[in-house]
Amino acid sequence: MISVKEALRDSKAEVIVVDNGSKDQSCKMIKDRFAWVRLIENEQNIGLSRANNQGANQAKGEYVCFLNPDIVVGSRTFSSLLDRAKRLPNLGILGPRLIDGKGRFLNDSKRNIPSPLTSLQRLLGVNFGSVKNYYAKHIPSEKNGYVDVLSGSFLLIKKKAFDLINGFDEDFFLCCEDIDLCYRMKKKGFQNYYIGDTVAIHYRAESIGRNEVYVKQFYNAMRIFYKKHFQSNWLFDVLISIAIQMVASILRLQKRIKKSNSINQYYLISEDARLKQKLKAILSQKIKKISRERLTNLGDQNIEIIFDNNFIAFDDIIDCMQKNKNNRITYKIRPQGSDYIVGSDFNDGKGEVIWL
């Protein structure tokens, strides 16, 4: 939310937050720290599609942007995308390049329409020859182009087009609502665009854990998608069921053995001496201050870089993460004015919040 506030500093945009029955202090935090936000508080989890439609129904702008709570944007992310949207012909949906908490490109940023065989190919991790890949690899990650499907974590949509296709299909409770929306947009004759030269961070699994439960939810949602858009096939349904159980078992095993690397050295980009001392006490390790210019050639040990957003802008943080992505480097961010640091070491696991 802090990065969104910064990016909208000179904008007349409205921000609507829909909370799906959170049991923590999320709503209180919004009211206390972001009083300018319009907050919709649902008493229970009504599903992502229905919640998105709730927010969109109250939106008054020419464009509506759907944003997951685990997205971090730069100061010009929205203005850049809006400028592009106004110049693109026959616009339906537009989405940026997304990177994970370690600065690595997320393939979900751009995808093809998942035919039944494409989906089975992705689930099993095999190649069926001429079957189209699940991800839109024909477009380089840093380029722009037409795509079938964009990530539902960050969608910029022309409001008239969104209303014309009646918004999100509320039969999709959690997964595949973005695939269905993008597909229906194309069937109505609109074009979806991937904008690879504009970047945002998506911690990806902070709002939902990517585990065996998620896999089952995703492919059960895909069943709804296939019944809606493709001819029903009982054999495919049986194969999907078997594959789901196989993948779920693999993920359970991975969960047992997956662990973060032991950090050999922490680096802090900040001029806040008190923050350095707090981190030293919490992490029980020496903290070295470093400038963004010296982030290269830090050796082959496991390191973690902590960005203090009071000192370094989100644009520079995103730039640093992309330029210095390495399996041995992890990142945390202290948002401006906050008493915590946040980050994610895995793109398929829950993120981490460390209170200061």
Side-chain angles (χ1 to χ4, degrees):
M1 183 62 72
I2 293 173
S3 69
V4 171
K5 180 181 179 180
E6 179 65 26
L8 296 177
R9 183 180 296 275
D10 300 318
S11 170
K12 295 181 180 180
E14 57 183 346
V15 176
I16 302 168
V17 172
V18 183
D19 181 84
N20 260 349
S22 294
K23 304 302 181 185
D24 55 17
Q25 297 297 307
S26 299
C27 291
K28 183 179 184 303
M29 182 269 291
I30 292 292
K31 294 172 184 175
D32 290 346
R33 300 191 60 185
F34 307 100
W36 48 275
V37 168
R38 191 184 314 169
L39 176 63
I40 300 173
E41 296 182 72
N42 293 320
E43 294 183 358
Q44 59 185 0
N45 187 350
I46 62 172
L48 182 58
S49 293
R50 188 175 168 191
N52 279 343
N53 287 339
Q54 266 188 308
N57 288 338
Q58 293 200 21
K60 299 181 178 65
E62 182 181 355
Y63 297 89
V64 58
C65 181
F66 296 96
L67 206 66
N68 275 18
D70 48 6
I71 291 282
V72 175
V73 299
S75 62
R76 295 202 68 255
T77 299
F78 297 128
S79 59
S80 175
L81 291 176
L82 280 169
D83 180 66
R84 195 67 58 85
K86 293 173 184 177
R87 294 184 282 112
L88 289 172
N90 203 31
L91 173 67
I93 307 176
L94 177 152
R97 172 163 49 106
L98 298 171
I99 60 174
D100 67 12
K102 295 187 73 172
R104 299 169 300 193
F105 173 67
L106 287 171
N107 287 313
D108 283 354
S109 302
K110 51 184 178 68
R111 289 166 283 170
N112 295 309
I113 293 297
S115 69
L117 281 178
T118 294
S119 183
L120 186 61
Q121 177 176 259
R122 183 216 180 191
L123 180 59
L124 294 175
V126 297
N127 192 331
F128 293 155
S130 61
V131 175
K132 186 179 289 188
N133 196 287
Y134 181 78
Y135 300 113
K137 294 185 176 181
H138 59 286
I139 302 175
S141 62
E142 298 185 7
K143 300 294 183 180
N144 305 331
Y146 304 112
V147 294
D148 293 333
V149 179
L150 298 154
S151 171
S153 61
F154 194 141
L155 298 173
L156 181 67
I157 308 177
K158 203 155 189 175
K159 186 66 161 53
K160 285 184 178 179
F162 181 78
D163 291 339
L164 184 64
I165 65 170
N166 298 314
F168 287 95
D169 184 340
E170 296 180 8
D171 285 342
F172 296 92
F173 185 84
L174 177 62
C175 303
C176 301
E177 78 293 331
D178 50 355
I179 298 174
D180 176 75
L181 186 79
C182 290
Y183 191 33
R184 285 188 290 119
M185 194 68 75
K186 285 181 66 68
K187 289 170 76 172
K188 274 290 184 181
F190 294 101
Q191 183 60 60
N192 302 326
Y193 295 89
Y194 168 73
I195 308 301
D197 57 16
T198 301
V199 191
I201 302 171
H202 184 203
Y203 287 122
R204 191 178 183 187
E206 183 54 29
S207 50
I208 51 171
R210 300 236 163 187
N211 51 28
E212 67 270 18
V213 175
Y214 171 81
V215 169
K216 291 179 180 179
Q217 289 174 330
F218 180 84
Y219 283 98
N220 284 330
M222 287 303 296
R223 285 191 176 99
I224 298 174
F225 177 79
Y226 295 138
K227 287 178 181 178
K228 179 178 179 180
H229 297 289
F230 294 89
Q231 185 174 356
S232 180
N233 186 319
W234 68 267
L235 178 59
F236 169 76
D237 204 52
V238 170
L239 290 173
I240 282 288
S241 296
I242 295 172
I244 287 174
Q245 295 304 318
M246 290 171 54
V247 173
S249 297
I250 293 171
L251 288 172
R252 279 193 292 270
L253 178 61
Q254 288 178 338
K255 185 177 181 180
R256 294 191 192 104
I257 63 176
K258 180 181 288 185
K259 63 179 181 179
S260 299
N261 292 331
S262 177
I263 303 300
N264 301 117
Q265 180 62 60
Y266 288 91
Y267 290 97
L268 173 64
I269 299 182
S270 176
E271 292 297 330
D272 188 337
R274 289 188 301 174
L275 174 60
K276 181 181 177 182
Q277 292 303 314
K278 281 186 179 180
L279 289 170
K280 180 180 178 181
I282 292 170
L283 300 172
S284 300
Q285 283 205 38
K286 184 178 180 180
I287 310 294
K288 290 184 178 180
K289 285 172 56 176
I290 194 172
S291 66
R292 59 170 297 192
E293 291 77 19
R294 292 183 55 230
L295 287 182
T296 58
N297 302 319
L298 294 178
D300 58 358
Q301 60 183 348
N302 295 325
I303 67 173
E304 181 153 290
I305 298 168
I306 301 171
F307 298 104
D308 181 4
N309 182 226
N310 291 300
F311 179 75
I312 179 171
F314 282 113
D315 299 87
D316 295 326
I317 292 172
I318 293 171
D319 185 59
C320 285
M321 290 174 63
Q322 292 183 93
K323 289 181 177 178
N324 300 285
K325 53 182 176 289
N326 185 310
N327 286 334
R328 291 187 175 275
I329 302 177
T330 55
Y331 298 97
K332 296 289 187 296
I333 300 173
R334 180 205 189 183
Q336 186 175 16
S338 299
D339 56 354
Y340 59 85
I341 59 175
V342 62
S344 178
D345 297 348
F346 308 105
N347 63 22
D348 59 351
K350 294 288 284 183
E352 182 182 15
V353 177
I354 299 175
W355 293 93
L356 301 172

